[in-house]
Amino acid sequence: MTPILSLARHTLIDALRERLLRMLALFLVVLLLATRLASPLALGEGRRVTLDLGLGLLSLFGFLLVMLLGTRMVQQEVEGRTILLVLARPVHRIEFLLGKLLGLLGVVAIGLAGMLGILALALLTAGYAVDASLALAGLCAFLELTIVSALAVLLAASTSPILSAFLLLALYVAGHLLHGLLEMARLVSQPLLAGALKGVFHLLPRLDLYSSALQAVHGTPLSAGTVLWGVAYAALYTAGVLGLALLVFRAREFA
Amino acid sequence: MTRTGEPDCALRYEGISKIFRAGLRRRVPALRGVSLEVRAGEILALLGHNGAGKTTLVKLALGLLRPTGGTGSLLGRPLGDRAARRSVGFQPEQPYLYPFLTVRETLRFLGELSGFSGARLRGRMADAVEGCGLAEVVDRPVRRLSRGWQQRVALATALLPDPRLLLLDEPLGGLDPDARFALKELIRRLRAEGRTVVFNSHVLPDVEQLADRVVLLQRGRVIAEGRLETLLSEEVQGFEIEVRGALPGLPGAEAVWRHADPARSLWWLPGIDAGELQRVLRGLIDAGVEVVGVAPRRENLEAFFARVTRAEAGAAVKPASGRRAAG
């Protein structure tokens, strides 16, 4: 087993031992309560309400999962000094970061699969149809969280867990409001400011790309091009962020 | 190079300095121009007070820290080189382990990171478990083990890569006498197999029993280095006298040990020569004291350590022989 896979498995096992199951259980409780509370207000749109609530909660809990695990995972090794054991072995620092990211993505994949399963169960028990669009929504959520996970690794490699969590939240919110930034750039009369706003638009993660999954579950099909662009963007952005994380992490010393 | 084609020098530092930054302005020098060679197949002990730079030297070798100045080599490759680390075992100063893993899981994980898999990994794990006497705790979570057991697990993780060079930071700390004895035997066996061992320790009697060579660091500088027999003074420091019967008042005599039988005791007479000893013995016999034994005491490592570090802190005092490093 390569160091990357070994580190990924180790990260995954660490997360599964304590946090993920609690998160899933919480998701189940919140989803059941929310659908129960919202069903009298649905006015015949029960499936839509359940799906909107479910996918919203899935996105939120997925983000919380990444924020809680991802921003702490490097610091945990540094504070516990176990990083000395790892990096004293023939492990390159990019392998360490990749292993951590893959482990985190494994946790995200299991978490999303679990939450999608719960959502499907909630739909089926309420007598609503479940189709493949739910899986597509899961893929979009996974791609979005892949980018967020890479950002979490970058922040975790650079700064403290609390600051990382704060910055990650800021990037997550900004990533969903990017269209507003582009609109602002169009409206601004000063070319320099407009250029700066466009620059920021291109630097920030385009998490809004993955919001289209909601349209899919409500019957508006997603084109193959949109899905492929979403996959390609997630891969490229993640690679860029990881490159930056490596630059930061290579400079770190462990006294 | 040795006959097997391995470099004669397992670890080398050339003019290494390391400055840590504390805050924006403060710079703390940890090492100041350290030059040092560890020969293949020897046991070398790094000695010094806390903060002398021992751990920093070890971490520089592994690439966990980068030198501010100077250069060096690890198993013939640059310090911290990834390929060289494949043949290095490292035990940090505390047993830093993953508390949620069992001993077996810990060894498997760190063995995989060392590049082993399948039967080879199982073989290395079995050797490490046997070598460190971990069989009875192998399936217990690390967090449930005592400090001494955790120390053994940490040593086992250092042995996993089948290392040509072992870097052990305070390996004897926290071990009970049996475990300490077993560890010393293990280190000797590793040397006999041709491996190189570098270790830090504050337990000087153990260092004296184990090390082929010692390097004494103070405030980031090497202040003495050499083989113990060349560093320690041959000069007799005084005599120990074991007597039966009441000891009449002897000026300067210090009780070293008292037997369960109150009539027997061991006394240390510092700073007397053979002539004075003759006079003391004659006086004791005349006073009816039965002298059971007399032994000259030469300088030990503790006395050497105190002499050299105090001298370095104050006026320079030359050691008996061996190399005194220029500051």
Side-chain angles (χ1 to χ4, degrees):
Chain A
M1 188 174 275
T2 67
I4 296 173
L5 291 180
S6 190
L7 279 158
R9 194 188 62 187
H10 176 76
T11 307
L12 182 66
I13 290 171
D14 184 18
L16 288 178
R17 272 183 212 233
E18 30 187 342
R19 302 175 193 96
L20 186 62
L21 289 176
R22 274 183 250 156
M23 189 73 98
L24 283 174
L26 187 63
F27 176 76
L28 177 66
V29 172
V30 172
L31 179 63
L32 291 176
L33 280 177
T35 48
R36 183 63 52 123
L37 285 172
S39 55
L41 310 170
L43 302 172
E45 290 287 339
R47 183 175 185 272
R48 174 180 280 273
V49 170
T50 308
L51 272 173
D52 285 355
L53 268 174
L55 290 177
L57 283 170
L58 181 129
S59 181
L60 176 70
F61 275 77
F63 171 72
L64 286 177
L65 197 63
V66 172
M67 191 171 79
L68 291 177
L69 292 178
T71 55
R72 288 179 60 235
M73 62 189 184
V74 174
Q75 201 58 24
Q76 217 171 6
E77 297 257 12
V78 174
E79 279 171 7
R81 319 273 272 165
T82 45
I83 197 154
L84 300 178
L85 289 181
V86 175
L87 294 183
R89 283 161 205 280
V91 175
H92 195 283
R93 295 195 180 193
I94 188 65
E95 290 175 325
F96 178 81
L97 293 179
L98 269 172
K100 288 285 167 191
L101 177 64
L102 278 183
L104 185 57
L105 290 180
V107 178
V108 167
I110 293 171
L112 286 179
M115 289 190 280
L116 278 173
I118 292 168
L119 178 58
L121 210 63
L123 286 167
L124 288 171
T125 51
Y128 303 126
V130 173
D131 57 28
S133 64
L134 204 58
L136 191 60
L139 173 69
C140 286
F142 181 74
L143 292 173
E144 178 185 324
L145 290 175
T146 299
I147 294 174
V148 178
S149 299
L151 287 168
V153 169
L154 167 65
L155 293 169
S158 329
T159 182
S160 70
I162 292 174
L163 189 58
S164 297
F166 178 75
L167 290 172
L168 191 68
L169 179 64
L171 285 169
Y172 182 75
V173 172
H176 280 283
L177 301 174
L178 276 182
H179 261 295
L181 198 67
L182 209 55
E183 285 302 312
M184 206 188 296
R186 282 198 196 106
L187 294 173
V188 164
S189 55
Q190 289 177 325
L192 201 67
L193 187 59
L197 286 171
K198 279 182 187 164
V200 172
F201 173 82
H202 288 299
L203 278 178
L204 288 173
R206 298 243 3 233
L207 302 180
D208 58 323
L209 285 177
Y210 305 99
S211 306
S212 45
L214 267 183
Q215 298 164 20
V217 292
H218 294 316
T220 312
L222 284 183
S223 70
T226 307
V227 176
L228 280 177
W229 167 233
V231 173
Y233 180 81
L236 287 172
Y237 199 89
T238 300
V241 171
L242 265 185
L244 201 58
L246 177 63
L247 281 181
V248 175
F249 196 58
R250 256 174 45 178
R252 278 191 77 166
E253 294 190 296
F254 302 98
Chain B
M1 300 283 271
T2 61
R3 276 183 301 176
T4 54
E6 291 191 358
D8 295 324
C9 174
L11 179 60
R12 195 179 74 246
Y13 301 96
E14 285 176 19
I16 289 279
S17 60
K18 178 66 190 171
I19 297 171
F20 289 108
R21 284 180 183 278
L24 284 176
R25 288 189 174 178
R26 207 167 143 241
R27 290 154 67 87
V28 183
L31 292 173
R32 308 164 197 243
V34 170
S35 294
L36 177 65
E37 273 194 14
V38 183
R39 289 159 212 144
E42 76 172 344
I43 301 177
L44 182 120
L46 294 171
L47 307 179
H49 293 118
N50 291 334
K54 309 182 294 289
T55 300
T56 302
L57 270 180
V58 170
K59 287 181 177 167
L60 282 165
L62 294 164
L64 296 167
L65 295 173
R66 273 181 295 280
T68 310
T71 180
S73 66
L74 175 71
L75 296 171
R77 303 180 73 95
L79 289 177
D81 180 82
R82 187 185 177 201
R85 275 185 280 147
R86 201 172 285 281
S87 303
V88 178
F90 169 56
Q91 181 187 358
E93 67 270 31
Q94 301 278 334
Y96 302 123
L97 299 163
Y98 296 95
F100 60 87
L101 294 183
T102 65
V103 174
R104 190 189 303 279
E105 288 167 340
T106 301
L107 294 176
R108 184 179 299 126
F109 172 55
L110 294 171
E112 284 170 358
L113 293 187
S114 296
F116 297 114
S117 60
R120 179 106 172 93
L121 174 61
R122 286 193 292 278
R124 289 307 311 148
M125 285 169 62
D127 285 352
V129 166
E130 192 195 333
C132 298
L134 291 170
E136 62 183 280
V137 297
V138 76
D139 288 313
R140 287 193 14 208
V142 166
R143 65 173 180 275
R144 301 228 176 104
L145 299 178
S146 68
R147 166 78 203 274
W149 279 109
Q150 289 186 357
Q151 190 83 348
R152 287 196 204 194
V153 177
L155 178 68
T157 67
L159 294 175
L160 268 176
D162 197 10
R164 282 160 51 200
L165 170 63
L166 260 173
L167 300 172
L168 309 176
D169 204 346
E170 290 291 346
L172 299 156
L175 295 181
D176 60 36
D178 280 350
R180 187 177 288 187
F181 179 80
L183 175 57
K184 285 191 278 188
E185 286 299 301
L186 178 68
I187 290 176
R188 286 193 195 100
R189 200 172 69 230
L190 291 168
R191 193 238 330 250
E193 290 168 2
R195 297 169 209 268
T196 312
V197 181
V198 177
F199 73 103
N200 296 348
S201 184
H202 289 299
V203 189
L204 298 183
D206 287 334
V207 172
E208 213 166 341
Q209 289 170 24
L210 269 180
D212 297 316
R213 218 152 53 88
V214 298
V215 171
L216 185 48
L217 289 157
Q218 190 164 31
R219 295 197 196 101
R221 288 195 177 94
V222 175
I223 58 169
E225 98 169 75
R227 298 185 72 82
L228 281 174
E229 60 267 26
T230 59
L231 285 175
L232 302 184
S233 170
E234 280 297 307
E235 194 181 313
V236 174
Q237 312 273 306
F239 291 89
E240 281 176 349
I241 304 179
E242 190 180 347
V243 296
R244 198 191 305 273
L247 190 76
L250 277 177
E254 300 164 17
V256 174
W257 165 78
R258 288 181 197 279
H259 196 265
D261 170 2
R264 279 181 66 185
S265 55
L266 185 69
W267 294 83
W268 162 232
L269 302 174
I272 66 168
D273 59 21
E276 281 175 276
L277 178 70
Q278 296 293 333
R279 280 195 295 280
V280 168
L281 289 176
R282 204 170 295 125
L284 289 176
I285 291 162
D286 290 348
V289 176
E290 185 187 344
V291 177
V292 179
V294 178
R297 197 201 272 180
R298 294 189 167 81
E299 186 177 51
N300 63 13
L301 190 54
E302 274 178 345
F304 169 76
F305 184 90
R307 172 166 66 87
V308 176
T309 52
R310 280 178 201 155
E312 197 66 26
V317 172
K318 279 183 73 176
S321 54
R323 184 170 84 81
R324 282 288 303 278

